Amino acid sequence: MSILELIEKRLEENFALHEQYLNPQMVRVLKTIGYDRHYVKAQGAYLFDNQGEKYLDLLSGFGVFALGRNHPKIVQALQEVLTAALPNLVQLDASILAGLLAERLAAIAPPGLERVFFANSGTETVEAAIKFSRYATGRSQIVYCQGGYHGLTMGSLSATGDPHYRQGFGPFVADFKEIPFGDLAALEKALINQEVAAFITEPIQGHGVRIPEPNYLPAAAALCRRYGTLFVADEVQTGLGRTGKIWAVEHWGVEPDILCVAKALSGGFVPVGAVLCRRWIFDRVFDRMDRSVVHGST
């Protein structure tokens, strides 16, 4: 039996399978709010169920499907790669595909971001940004904003300013400090001792869609420069055109030291994220041949 035949045969078992093997509470949520549909097709901005109904997908995978679902050019590119029998994941090699993608990202990155590190998700890009910031500056403190969302692994969760996601998972990574979003005085107070490795923020807070005052991000970046703190822009939700510009920081003319991107980068098919950073940061972390694998994953 082919995978397509298996899916067709058991399509309407999806909720039962999730109840038994995955997350039954999510199934309860879907049934409670009337989202217990059996989708059979996705195209562009729309989902189609087994009753022939058509739905406008306003969630778009929480921002993953910026180009729509099953975009034909992305499907074609993936099919070409999958049928090319490329030597993927050769550990003692330099992947041509990773090099080409890094080249394209560097070409559209904000000024000064010349190095690229690839990860498997948005939260992993934040983890990398935290580690890179600490190593490059020799400092340990990380400042983040109340209401911000940076992911659910332990480092990124330590920088997520939403009690709903943090409750019961502590204690968190040490030396993380929360300040109000948009409060420049609080930011300067946190930075003034010159012990902060990085200030991390979403240009626009995705959970609640909070847009900062016009002067906040430029002034925050200036404060970071003054006190030797790296400015980390988490563009996992806002990057790659979702706000009308390639990067949300462009609306305010801000040039971050590190930028995190994921979600839309995948086209909705593969888990991938990227950290774009200044050359000196990257070269300080990977400063010797024996440290060439000091951070990474398969």
Coordinates of all heavy atoms in Angstrom, one line a residue, residues 212-289:
P212 N 5.7 48.8 18.2 CA 6.3 49.8 19.1 C 6.1 51.3 18.6 O 5.8 51.5 17.4 CB 7.8 49.4 19.0 CG 7.9 48.8 17.7 CD 6.6 48.1 17.4
E213 N 6.4 52.2 19.5 CA 6.4 53.6 19.1 C 7.5 53.8 18.0 O 8.5 53.1 18.0 CB 6.6 54.5 20.3 CG 5.4 54.5 21.3 CD 4.1 55.0 20.7 OE1 4.2 56.0 19.9 OE2 3.1 54.5 21.0
P214 N 7.4 54.8 17.2 CA 8.3 55.0 16.1 C 9.8 55.1 16.5 O 10.7 54.7 15.8 CB 7.9 56.3 15.4 CG 6.4 56.4 15.7 CD 6.3 55.8 17.1
N215 N 10.1 55.7 17.7 CA 11.5 55.9 18.1 C 12.0 54.7 18.9 O 13.2 54.7 19.2 CB 11.6 57.2 18.9 CG 11.0 57.1 20.2 OD1 9.9 56.5 20.4 ND2 11.6 57.6 21.2
Y216 N 11.2 53.7 19.3 CA 11.7 52.7 20.2 C 12.8 51.9 19.7 O 13.9 51.8 20.4 CB 10.5 51.9 20.7 CG 10.9 50.8 21.6 CD1 11.4 51.1 22.9 CD2 10.8 49.4 21.2 CE1 11.8 50.1 23.7 CE2 11.2 48.4 22.1 CZ 11.7 48.7 23.4 OH 12.2 47.7 24.2
L217 N 12.6 51.2 18.6 CA 13.7 50.3 18.1 C 15.0 51.0 17.8 O 16.1 50.6 18.1 CB 13.2 49.5 17.0 CG 12.1 48.5 17.3 CD1 11.5 47.8 16.1 CD2 12.6 47.5 18.3
P218 N 14.9 52.2 17.0 CA 16.2 52.9 16.8 C 16.9 53.3 18.1 O 18.1 53.2 18.2 CB 15.7 54.1 16.0 CG 14.5 53.7 15.3 CD 13.8 52.8 16.3
A219 N 16.1 53.8 19.0 CA 16.7 54.3 20.3 C 17.3 53.1 21.1 O 18.3 53.1 21.7 CB 15.7 55.0 21.1
A220 N 16.6 51.9 21.0 CA 17.0 50.7 21.7 C 18.3 50.2 21.1 O 19.3 49.8 21.8 CB 16.0 49.6 21.6
A221 N 18.4 50.3 19.8 CA 19.7 49.9 19.1 C 20.8 50.8 19.5 O 21.9 50.3 19.7 CB 19.5 49.8 17.6
A222 N 20.5 52.1 19.6 CA 21.6 53.0 20.0 C 22.0 52.8 21.4 O 23.2 52.9 21.7 CB 21.0 54.5 19.8
L223 N 21.1 52.5 22.3 CA 21.5 52.1 23.7 C 22.4 50.9 23.7 O 23.3 50.8 24.5 CB 20.2 51.9 24.5 CG 19.5 53.2 24.9 CD1 18.2 52.8 25.6 CD2 20.3 54.1 25.8
C224 N 22.0 49.9 22.9 CA 22.8 48.7 22.9 C 24.3 49.0 22.4 O 25.2 48.5 23.0 CB 22.2 47.6 22.0 SG 20.7 46.9 22.6
R225 N 24.4 49.8 21.4 CA 25.7 50.2 20.9 C 26.5 50.9 22.0 O 27.7 50.7 22.2 CB 25.6 51.0 19.7 CG 25.2 50.2 18.4 CD 25.4 51.1 17.2 NE 24.6 52.3 17.2 CZ 23.4 52.4 16.7 NH1 22.8 51.3 16.2 NH2 22.7 53.5 16.7
R226 N 25.8 51.8 22.7 CA 26.5 52.6 23.8 C 27.1 51.7 24.9 O 28.2 52.0 25.4 CB 25.5 53.6 24.4 CG 26.1 54.5 25.4 CD 25.1 55.4 26.1 NE 24.3 56.2 25.1 CZ 23.2 56.9 25.4 NH1 22.7 56.9 26.6 NH2 22.6 57.6 24.4
Y227 N 26.3 50.7 25.2 CA 26.7 49.9 26.4 C 27.3 48.5 26.0 O 27.5 47.7 26.9 CB 25.5 49.7 27.3 CG 25.1 51.0 27.9 CD1 23.8 51.5 27.6 CD2 25.9 51.7 28.8 CE1 23.4 52.7 28.1 CE2 25.4 52.9 29.4 CZ 24.2 53.4 29.0 OH 23.8 54.6 29.6
G228 N 27.7 48.4 24.7 CA 28.4 47.1 24.3 C 27.5 45.9 24.3 O 28.0 44.8 24.4
T229 N 26.2 46.1 24.2 CA 25.2 45.0 24.2 C 24.8 44.7 22.7 O 24.6 45.6 21.9 CB 24.0 45.3 25.0 OG1 24.4 45.5 26.4 CG2 22.9 44.3 24.9
L230 N 24.7 43.4 22.4 CA 24.2 43.0 21.0 C 22.7 43.2 20.9 O 22.0 42.8 21.8 CB 24.6 41.6 20.7 CG 26.2 41.3 20.7 CD1 26.4 39.9 20.3 CD2 26.9 42.3 19.8
F231 N 22.3 43.7 19.8 CA 20.9 43.9 19.5 C 20.4 42.7 18.7 O 20.9 42.5 17.5 CB 20.6 45.2 18.8 CG 19.1 45.5 18.6 CD1 18.5 46.3 19.4 CD2 18.4 44.9 17.5 CE1 17.1 46.6 19.2 CE2 17.1 45.2 17.3 CZ 16.4 46.0 18.2
V232 N 19.5 41.9 19.2 CA 19.0 40.7 18.5 C 17.6 40.9 18.1 O 16.7 41.1 18.9 CB 19.1 39.4 19.4 CG1 18.6 38.2 18.7 CG2 20.6 39.2 19.9
A233 N 17.4 40.8 16.8 CA 16.0 41.0 16.3 C 15.4 39.6 16.0 O 16.0 38.9 15.1 CB 16.0 41.8 15.0
D234 N 14.4 39.2 16.7 CA 13.7 37.9 16.4 C 12.7 38.2 15.3 O 11.6 38.7 15.6 CB 13.1 37.4 17.7 CG 12.4 36.1 17.5 OD1 12.1 35.7 16.3 OD2 12.0 35.4 18.5
E235 N 13.0 37.8 14.1 CA 12.1 38.0 13.0 C 11.5 36.7 12.5 O 11.2 36.5 11.3 CB 12.8 38.7 11.8 CG 13.2 40.1 12.2 CD 12.6 41.2 11.2 OE1 11.6 40.9 10.6 OE2 13.1 42.3 11.2
V236 N 11.4 35.7 13.4 CA 10.8 34.4 13.1 C 9.4 34.6 12.5 O 9.0 34.0 11.6 CB 10.9 33.5 14.3 CG1 10.0 32.2 14.0 CG2 12.3 33.1 14.6
Q237 N 8.6 35.5 13.2 CA 7.3 35.7 12.7 C 7.1 36.8 11.7 O 6.3 36.8 10.9 CB 6.3 36.0 13.9 CG 6.2 34.8 14.9 CD 4.9 35.0 15.7 OE1 3.8 35.1 15.3 NE2 5.2 35.0 17.0
T238 N 8.0 37.8 11.8 CA 7.9 39.0 11.0 C 8.7 39.1 9.7 O 8.5 39.9 8.8 CB 8.2 40.3 11.8 OG1 9.5 40.2 12.3 CG2 7.3 40.5 13.0
G239 N 9.7 38.1 9.6 CA 10.6 38.2 8.5 C 10.1 37.7 7.2 O 9.1 37.1 7.1
L240 N 10.9 38.0 6.2 CA 10.7 37.5 4.8 C 9.3 38.1 4.3 O 8.5 37.3 3.7 CB 10.7 36.0 4.7 CG 12.1 35.4 5.0 CD1 12.1 33.9 5.0 CD2 13.2 35.9 4.0
G241 N 9.1 39.3 4.5 CA 8.0 40.0 3.8 C 6.7 40.1 4.5 O 5.7 40.7 3.9
R242 N 6.6 39.6 5.7 CA 5.2 39.5 6.3 C 4.7 40.8 6.8 O 3.5 41.0 7.1 CB 5.2 38.5 7.5 CG 5.4 37.1 7.0 CD 5.0 36.1 8.1 NE 3.5 36.1 8.3 CZ 2.9 36.1 9.5 NH1 3.6 36.1 10.6 NH2 1.6 36.0 9.6
T243 N 5.6 41.9 6.8 CA 5.1 43.2 7.2 C 5.2 44.2 6.1 O 5.0 45.4 6.3 CB 5.9 43.7 8.4 OG1 7.3 44.0 8.0 CG2 5.9 42.8 9.6
G244 N 5.4 43.7 4.9 CA 5.5 44.7 3.7 C 6.9 45.0 3.3 O 7.1 45.5 2.2
K245 N 7.9 44.7 4.2 CA 9.3 44.8 3.8 C 9.9 43.4 4.1 O 9.4 42.6 4.8 CB 10.0 45.9 4.6 CG 9.5 47.3 4.3 CD 10.3 48.4 5.0 CE 9.8 49.8 4.7 NZ 10.2 50.2 3.3
I246 N 11.1 43.2 3.5 CA 11.7 41.9 3.7 C 11.9 41.6 5.2 O 11.6 40.5 5.7 CB 13.1 41.8 3.0 CG1 12.9 41.9 1.5 CG2 13.8 40.5 3.3 CD1 12.1 40.7 0.9
W247 N 12.4 42.6 5.9 CA 12.6 42.5 7.4 C 11.8 43.6 8.1 O 11.8 44.8 7.6 CB 14.0 42.6 7.8 CG 14.9 41.7 6.9 CD1 15.8 42.0 6.0 CD2 14.9 40.2 7.0 NE1 16.4 40.9 5.4 CE2 15.9 39.8 6.0 CE3 14.3 39.3 7.8 CZ2 16.1 38.5 5.8 CZ3 14.5 37.9 7.6 CH2 15.5 37.5 6.6
A248 N 11.1 43.3 9.2 CA 10.4 44.3 9.9 C 11.2 45.5 10.4 O 10.8 46.6 10.4 CB 9.6 43.7 11.0
V249 N 12.5 45.2 10.7 CA 13.4 46.2 11.2 C 13.6 47.3 10.2 O 13.9 48.5 10.6 CB 14.7 45.7 11.7 CG1 14.6 44.8 13.0 CG2 15.4 44.9 10.6
E250 N 13.4 47.0 8.9 CA 13.6 48.0 7.9 C 12.6 49.2 8.0 O 12.8 50.3 7.6 CB 13.4 47.4 6.5 CG 14.5 46.4 6.2 CD 14.3 45.8 4.8 OE1 14.5 46.5 3.8 OE2 13.9 44.6 4.7
H251 N 11.4 48.9 8.6 CA 10.4 50.0 8.8 C 11.0 51.1 9.7 O 10.6 52.3 9.6 CB 9.2 49.5 9.5 CG 8.4 48.6 8.6 ND1 7.6 49.0 7.5 CD2 8.2 47.2 8.6 CE1 7.0 48.0 6.9 NE2 7.4 46.9 7.5
W252 N 12.0 50.8 10.6 CA 12.5 51.7 11.5 C 14.0 52.0 11.2 O 14.6 52.7 12.0 CB 12.4 51.2 12.9 CG 10.9 51.1 13.4 CD1 10.1 52.1 13.8 CD2 10.1 49.9 13.3 NE1 8.9 51.6 14.1 CE2 8.8 50.3 13.8 CE3 10.4 48.6 13.0 CZ2 7.8 49.4 13.9 CZ3 9.3 47.7 13.1 CH2 8.1 48.1 13.5
G253 N 14.5 51.5 10.1 CA 15.9 51.7 9.8 C 16.9 51.1 10.8 O 18.0 51.7 10.9
V254 N 16.5 50.1 11.4 CA 17.4 49.4 12.5 C 18.3 48.4 11.8 O 17.8 47.6 11.0 CB 16.5 48.9 13.6 CG1 17.4 48.1 14.6 CG2 15.8 50.0 14.3
E255 N 19.5 48.3 12.2 CA 20.5 47.3 11.8 C 20.9 46.5 13.0 O 21.8 46.8 13.7 CB 21.7 48.0 11.1 CG 21.3 48.8 9.9 CD 22.5 49.5 9.3 OE1 23.7 49.3 9.7 OE2 22.3 50.3 8.3
P256 N 20.3 45.3 13.1 CA 20.6 44.4 14.3 C 22.0 43.8 14.2 O 22.5 43.7 13.1 CB 19.5 43.4 14.3 CG 19.1 43.3 12.8 CD 19.3 44.7 12.3
D257 N 22.5 43.3 15.3 CA 23.7 42.5 15.3 C 23.5 41.1 14.9 O 24.3 40.4 14.3 CB 24.4 42.6 16.6 CG 24.8 44.1 17.0 OD1 25.6 44.7 16.2 OD2 24.2 44.6 18.0
I258 N 22.3 40.6 15.3 CA 21.9 39.2 15.0 C 20.4 39.2 14.7 O 19.7 40.0 15.3 CB 22.1 38.3 16.3 CG1 23.6 38.2 16.6 CG2 21.6 36.9 16.0 CD1 23.9 37.4 17.9
L259 N 20.1 38.5 13.7 CA 18.7 38.4 13.2 C 18.3 36.9 13.1 O 19.0 36.1 12.5 CB 18.5 39.1 11.9 CG 17.1 39.2 11.4 CD1 16.9 40.5 10.6 CD2 16.7 38.0 10.4
C260 N 17.2 36.6 13.7 CA 16.6 35.2 13.7 C 15.5 35.1 12.7 O 14.6 35.9 12.7 CB 16.2 34.8 15.0 SG 17.4 34.8 16.3
V261 N 15.5 34.1 11.8 CA 14.5 33.9 10.9 C 14.1 32.4 10.8 O 15.0 31.5 10.9 CB 14.9 34.4 9.5 CG1 16.1 33.8 9.0 CG2 13.8 34.3 8.4
A262 N 12.9 32.1 10.6 CA 12.4 30.7 10.4 C 11.1 30.7 9.7 O 10.9 31.5 8.7 CB 12.4 29.9 11.7
K263 N 10.1 30.0 10.2 CA 8.7 30.0 9.7 C 8.6 30.1 8.1 O 8.7 29.1 7.4 CB 7.9 31.1 10.4 CG 7.6 30.7 11.8 CD 6.5 31.7 12.4 CE 6.2 31.4 13.8 NZ 5.5 30.1 14.0
A264 N 8.5 31.3 7.6 CA 8.3 31.5 6.2 C 9.4 31.0 5.3 O 9.3 30.6 4.2 CB 8.0 32.9 5.8
L265 N 10.6 30.9 6.0 CA 11.8 30.4 5.3 C 11.6 28.9 4.8 O 12.2 28.5 3.8 CB 13.0 30.5 6.2 CG 14.4 30.0 5.6 CD1 14.8 30.9 4.4 CD2 15.4 30.0 6.7
S266 N 10.8 28.2 5.4 CA 10.6 26.8 5.1 C 9.6 26.6 3.9 O 9.6 25.5 3.4 CB 10.0 26.0 6.3 OG 8.6 26.3 6.4
G267 N 8.8 27.6 3.6 CA 7.8 27.4 2.6 C 6.7 26.4 3.0 O 5.8 26.1 2.3
G268 N 6.8 26.0 4.3 CA 5.8 25.1 4.8 C 6.1 23.6 4.6 O 5.2 22.8 4.9
F269 N 7.3 23.3 4.2 CA 7.6 21.9 3.9 C 8.6 21.3 4.8 O 8.5 20.1 5.1 CB 8.0 21.8 2.4 CG 6.9 22.0 1.5 CD1 6.7 23.2 0.9 CD2 6.1 20.9 1.1 CE1 5.7 23.4 0.0 CE2 5.1 21.1 0.1 CZ 4.9 22.4 -0.4
V270 N 9.6 22.0 5.1 CA 10.8 21.4 5.9 C 11.1 22.3 7.1 O 10.9 23.5 7.1 CB 12.0 21.3 5.0 CG1 11.8 20.3 3.9 CG2 12.4 22.7 4.4
P271 N 11.6 21.7 8.2 CA 11.9 22.5 9.3 C 13.3 23.1 9.1 O 14.3 22.5 8.9 CB 12.0 21.4 10.5 CG 12.3 20.1 9.8 CD 11.7 20.2 8.4
V272 N 13.3 24.5 9.1 CA 14.5 25.2 8.9 C 14.4 26.6 9.5 O 13.4 27.2 9.4 CB 14.9 25.3 7.4 CG1 13.8 26.0 6.6 CG2 16.3 25.9 7.2
G273 N 15.5 27.0 10.1 CA 15.7 28.4 10.5 C 17.1 28.9 10.3 O 18.0 28.1 9.9
A274 N 17.3 30.1 10.4 CA 18.6 30.7 10.1 C 18.9 31.8 11.1 O 18.0 32.6 11.4 CB 18.8 31.2 8.7
V275 N 20.2 31.9 11.5 CA 20.7 33.0 12.3 C 21.6 33.8 11.3 O 22.6 33.3 10.8 CB 21.5 32.6 13.5 CG1 22.0 33.8 14.3 CG2 20.6 31.7 14.4
L276 N 21.3 35.1 11.2 CA 22.2 36.0 10.4 C 22.9 36.9 11.4 O 22.2 37.5 12.2 CB 21.3 36.8 9.4 CG 20.3 36.1 8.6 CD1 19.5 37.1 7.7 CD2 20.9 35.0 7.8
C277 N 24.2 37.0 11.3 CA 24.9 37.8 12.3 C 26.1 38.4 11.7 O 26.6 38.1 10.6 CB 25.3 36.9 13.5 SG 26.6 35.8 13.2
R278 N 26.7 39.4 12.4 CA 27.9 40.1 12.0 C 29.1 39.1 12.0 O 29.2 38.2 12.8 CB 28.2 41.3 12.9 CG 27.0 42.3 12.9 CD 27.4 43.6 13.6 NE 26.3 44.5 13.6 CZ 26.0 45.3 12.6 NH1 26.7 45.3 11.5 NH2 24.9 46.1 12.7
R279 N 30.0 39.4 11.1 CA 31.1 38.5 10.9 C 31.9 38.3 12.1 O 32.3 37.2 12.5 CB 32.0 39.0 9.7 CG 33.2 38.2 9.5 CD 34.1 38.8 8.4 NE 33.4 38.9 7.1 CZ 33.5 38.0 6.2 NH1 34.2 36.9 6.3 NH2 32.8 38.2 5.0
W280 N 32.2 39.4 12.9 CA 33.0 39.3 14.1 C 32.4 38.4 15.1 O 33.2 37.7 15.9 CB 33.4 40.7 14.6 CG 32.3 41.4 15.3 CD1 31.4 42.3 14.8 CD2 31.9 41.3 16.7 NE1 30.5 42.7 15.8 CE2 30.8 42.1 17.0 CE3 32.5 40.5 17.8 CZ2 30.2 42.2 18.2 CZ3 31.9 40.6 19.0 CH2 30.8 41.5 19.3
I281 N 31.1 38.4 15.2 CA 30.5 37.6 16.2 C 30.7 36.1 15.9 O 31.1 35.3 16.7 CB 28.9 37.9 16.3 CG1 28.7 39.3 16.7 CG2 28.2 36.9 17.3 CD1 27.3 39.8 16.6
F282 N 30.4 35.8 14.7 CA 30.5 34.4 14.2 C 32.0 33.9 14.3 O 32.3 32.8 14.8 CB 30.1 34.3 12.7 CG 29.7 32.9 12.3 CD1 28.4 32.5 12.4 CD2 30.6 32.0 11.8 CE1 28.0 31.2 12.0 CE2 30.3 30.8 11.4 CZ 29.0 30.4 11.5
D283 N 32.9 34.8 13.9 CA 34.3 34.4 13.9 C 34.9 34.3 15.3 O 35.9 33.6 15.5 CB 35.1 35.4 13.1 CG 34.8 35.3 11.6 OD1 34.1 34.3 11.2 OD2 35.2 36.2 10.8
R284 N 34.3 35.0 16.3 CA 34.7 34.9 17.6 C 34.2 33.5 18.2 O 34.9 32.9 19.0 CB 34.2 36.0 18.5 CG 34.8 36.1 19.9 CD 34.6 37.5 20.5 NE 35.4 38.5 19.9 CZ 35.4 39.8 20.3 NH1 34.6 40.1 21.3 NH2 36.1 40.7 19.6
V285 N 33.0 33.1 17.9 CA 32.5 31.8 18.4 C 33.3 30.7 17.7 O 33.8 29.8 18.4 CB 31.0 31.7 18.1 CG1 30.5 30.3 18.5 CG2 30.2 32.8 18.8
F286 N 33.4 30.7 16.4 CA 34.1 29.6 15.7 C 35.5 30.1 15.4 O 35.9 30.4 14.2 CB 33.4 29.3 14.4 CG 32.0 28.8 14.7 CD1 30.9 29.6 14.6 CD2 31.7 27.5 15.1 CE1 29.6 29.2 14.8 CE2 30.4 27.0 15.3 CZ 29.4 27.9 15.2
D287 N 36.4 30.3 16.4 CA 37.6 31.0 16.2 C 38.8 30.1 16.0 O 39.9 30.6 15.7 CB 37.9 31.8 17.5 CG 38.0 31.0 18.7 OD1 37.6 29.9 18.7 OD2 38.6 31.6 19.7
R288 N 38.7 28.8 16.1 CA 39.8 27.8 15.8 C 39.2 26.6 15.1 O 38.0 26.3 15.2 CB 40.4 27.4 17.1 CG 41.0 28.5 17.9 CD 41.9 27.9 19.1 NE 41.1 26.9 19.9 CZ 40.4 27.2 21.0 NH1 40.4 28.4 21.4 NH2 39.8 26.2 21.6
M289 N 40.1 25.8 14.4 CA 39.6 24.6 13.8 C 38.9 23.7 14.7 O 37.9 23.0 14.4 CB 40.7 24.0 13.0 CG 41.1 24.7 11.7 SD 42.3 23.7 10.7 CE 43.7 23.7 11.7

